[in-house]
C-alpha cells in the first residue's frame, strides 16, 4: 500500500463484514460489524457506506452472508432471492448494487447446495473487493494522463477510497496524478446536504497529505470565472449506454458551468457502472431522500418548522457535456455509445 493509498473502508474479518461508518467521519473512525444481510441493507440505506462501487461490494458480501446463514435449509435459494430484493431496494440509483446482487445470484445458481454457495459467494465478494482496488489504480493511471498537466482540478462529492474498495475513482485519478508529480491545485466542493466533500474528501486528502482547498458548492462558478479551475473530474453512480451520467446532485450544474467556461469535464467510473441496458439518462431513477437531511445540519434544525423540501440525491449530466469517461479498461471520448460498447465486449 503506497503512502497515498491508506484507507480501506470495507473489510472481512472474523467471519463478518466490517464497514467504516462514514456518518461519523471525520470526528471518529469506527467500524461497524455486520453479520446479517438485513443489517447490510440498512447500512447501505442509512449511508454507513456510500459510493456506487462500495455499495456494490457491500451488497456482494450481504449475499454471501445470506448464503452462509441458510446452509442446511431446503429452500435456501428462496432465501437468497429475498435478500437480493432487500438489498436492491436499499438504494435504487447506483447500478453497481443491482449488478453485484445479480452476479451473486448467478454464482449461487452454479452451486448444488447452500454450503458450497456460501463459500463461493464469499470468495467472489473478496475477489470483487481486491479487483476493485486494482481497477481503481489502473483507472487512476489512465486518468492522470488525460487531465491537464497543471492547474486547478475541481471535484465533487467523495469519489475516493471511501466510495470504493480503495484508492478511488475520480479521487484515485487525483491521487495518481499527484504521485506522478502533476502540478495540480485540488479544489473540493463541500457537497450539500451530506457534506461528503467537507467531511470525507477533505478527510481523505488530509490523511494522504495532498494539499487542497475546500469550497462551498456555490463558489464553483466564481472559481472558474477567475481562471482557477482547468478541469473538473467527478465519479458516477450510473452511466447510460449513450454516456449520460447520474452522479451526486450538483454535478449537472458543474458540467454546465464548465461548458460555459470552456473547461473540460471528466467522469471516472468502473465499467460496471455503465448500464448498457439503459439507452439514455431519461430512464435513470433518481432517489429522493428524507427532508430532514436538508432541514438539519449536524442534528440541528436549520429551517422553519414544516418547510417543504426537495432532496434529490442525484442528477443526470448529458453526455454532450462530458469530455471523456475514464474507466479501468480505457478512456472513452465522444461518441460514447460506440466507445463504451467496445469496452464492454
Amino acid at each position: 500500500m503506497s503512502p497515498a493509498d491508506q484507507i480501506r473502508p470495507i473489510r472481512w474479518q472474523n467471519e463478518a463484514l466490517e464497514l467504516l461508518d462514514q456518518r461519523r467521519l471525520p470526528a471518529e473512525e469506527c467500524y461497524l460489524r455486520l453479520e446479517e444481510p438485513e443489517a447490510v441493507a440498512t447500512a447501505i440505506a442509512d449511508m454507513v457506506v456510500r459510493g456506487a462501487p462500495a455499495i456494490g461490494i457491500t451488497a456482494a458480501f450481504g449475499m454471501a452472508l445470506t448464503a452462509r446463514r441458510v446452509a442446511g435449509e431446503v429452500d435456501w435459494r428462496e432465501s437468497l432471492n429475498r435478500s437480493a430484493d432487500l438489498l436492491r431496494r436499499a438504494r435504487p440509483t447506483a447500478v453497481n448494487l443491482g449488478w453485484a446482487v445479480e452476479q451473486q445470484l448467478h454464482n449461487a445458481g452454479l452451486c448444488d447446495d447452500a454450503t458450497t454457495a456460501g463459500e463461493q459467494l464469499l470468495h467472489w465478494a473478496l475477489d470483487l473487493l481486491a479487483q476493485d482496488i486494482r481497477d481503481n489504480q489502473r483507472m487512476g493511471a489512465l486518468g492522470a494522463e488525460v487531465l491537464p498537466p497543471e492547474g486547478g482540478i475541481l471535484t465533487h462529492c467523495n469519489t475516493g477510497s471511501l466510495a470504493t474498495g480503495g484508492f478511488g475513482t475520480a479521487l484515485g485519478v487525483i491521487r495518481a496524478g499527484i504521485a506522478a508529480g502533476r502540478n495540480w491545485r485540488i479544489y473540493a466542493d463541500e457537497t450539500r446536504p451530506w457534506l461528503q466533500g467537507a467531511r470525507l474528501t477533505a478527510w481523505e486528502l488530509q490523511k494522504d497529505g495532498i494539499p487542497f482547498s475546500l469550497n462551498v458548492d456555490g463558489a464553483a462558478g466564481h472559481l472558474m470565472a477567475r481562471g482557477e479551475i482547468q478541469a473538473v473530474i467527478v465519479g458516477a453512480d450510473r452511466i447510460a449506454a449513450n454516456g449520460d451520467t447520474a452522479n451526486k446532485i450538483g454535478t449537472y450544474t458543474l458540467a454546465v458551468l464548465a461548458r460555459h467556461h470552456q473547461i473540460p469535464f471528466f467522469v471516472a467510473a468502473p465499467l460496471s457502472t455503465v448500464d448498457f441496458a439503459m439507452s439514455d439518462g431519461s430512464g435513470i431513477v433518481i432517489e429522493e431522500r428524507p427532508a430532514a437531511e436538508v432541514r438539519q445540519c449536524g442534528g440541528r434544525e436549520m429551517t422553519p418548522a414544516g418547510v417543504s423540501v426537495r432532496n434529490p440525491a442525484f442528477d443526470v449530466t448529458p453526455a454532450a457535456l462530458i469530455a471523456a469517461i475514464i474507466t479501468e479498461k480505457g478512456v472513452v471520448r465522444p461518441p460514447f455509445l460506440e466507445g463504451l460498447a467496445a469496452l464492454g465486449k
Side-chain angles (χ1 to χ4, degrees):
M1 191 180 299
S2 72
D5 185 19
Q6 304 178 53
I7 303 160
R8 292 293 178 265
I10 304 169
R11 63 193 189 191
W12 179 264
Q13 290 193 352
N14 300 319
E15 304 302 307
L17 175 65
E18 294 187 349
L19 299 177
L20 181 60
D21 191 343
Q22 299 185 30
R23 301 168 303 179
R24 299 189 178 188
L25 291 173
E28 182 181 1
E29 296 181 34
C30 173
Y31 281 85
L32 294 184
R33 179 178 172 85
L34 308 176
E35 300 178 349
E36 302 291 341
E38 294 82 4
V40 174
T42 298
I44 293 172
D46 290 351
M47 303 280 278
V48 171
V49 61
R50 23 74 45 213
I55 289 173
I57 296 165
T58 300
F61 279 107
M63 291 293 288
L65 285 169
T66 301
R68 291 161 67 86
R69 183 177 70 180
V70 300
E73 291 185 9
V74 175
D75 61 346
W76 63 274
R77 294 186 188 277
E78 183 58 33
S79 295
L80 270 179
N81 286 328
R82 285 195 296 270
S83 283
D85 290 339
L86 179 69
L87 288 163
R88 287 191 198 99
R89 292 194 301 269
R91 296 200 72 189
T93 300
V95 71
N96 304 63
L97 190 159
W99 171 82
V101 168
E102 291 303 319
Q103 288 294 314
Q104 288 290 51
L105 287 174
H106 172 76
N107 295 336
L110 302 176
C111 301
D112 295 328
D113 57 77
T115 300
T116 303
E119 295 172 354
Q120 292 301 314
L121 268 60
L122 177 59
H123 180 73
W124 190 82
L126 290 167
D127 280 352
L128 179 63
L129 175 58
Q131 185 63 51
D132 181 70
I133 296 169
R134 291 193 295 270
D135 287 348
N136 291 341
Q137 291 168 341
R138 172 64 176 160
M139 194 187 315
L142 290 170
E145 295 296 325
V146 173
L147 267 65
E150 60 183 11
I153 309 296
L154 176 69
T155 191
H156 189 66
C157 195
N158 173 261
T159 57
S161 295
L162 294 172
T164 63
F167 200 73
T169 56
L171 200 56
V173 172
I174 290 172
R175 280 192 168 97
I178 294 296
R182 299 290 187 273
N183 185 24
W184 288 343
R185 301 182 307 277
I186 308 305
Y187 295 80
D189 278 353
E190 61 172 354
T191 321
R192 282 281 294 151
W194 267 82
L195 297 172
Q196 292 99 327
R199 294 188 304 106
L200 306 180
T201 297
W203 180 77
E204 286 200 41
L205 291 171
Q206 191 174 73
K207 197 174 185 70
D208 284 348
I210 298 174
F212 69 99
S213 293
L214 179 68
N215 54 270
V216 299
D217 296 354
H222 171 72
L223 296 173
M224 292 178 186
R226 287 171 56 89
E228 296 186 37
I229 307 298
Q230 277 63 55
V232 179
I233 185 165
V234 301
D237 286 81
R238 187 184 295 252
I239 301 174
N242 73 335
D244 290 350
T245 296
N247 192 51
K248 183 55 56 184
I249 191 72
T251 301
Y252 173 47
T253 305
L254 288 178
V256 172
L257 286 167
R259 173 58 59 89
H260 176 76
H261 291 95
Q262 299 183 325
I263 296 168
F265 182 94
F266 299 97
V267 172
L271 203 60
S272 59
T273 302
V274 181
D275 187 348
F276 290 103
M278 184 167 288
S279 60
D280 60 63
S282 65
I284 298 176
V285 176
I286 300 299
E287 175 186 2
E288 287 267 354
R289 292 193 58 82
E293 295 179 354
V294 176
R295 291 175 182 155
Q296 299 176 0
C297 187
R300 179 183 174 186
E301 292 291 335
M302 305 300 292
T303 69
V307 67
S308 179
V309 169
R310 287 298 308 279
N311 187 18
F314 306 94
D315 56 27
V316 176
T317 297
L321 298 178
I322 300 171
I325 297 174
I326 303 160
T327 79
E328 75 279 16
K329 291 189 176 182
V331 177
V332 183
R333 297 186 182 274
F336 294 116
L337 186 63
E338 295 82 356
L340 290 173
L343 290 186
K345 290 180 179 179

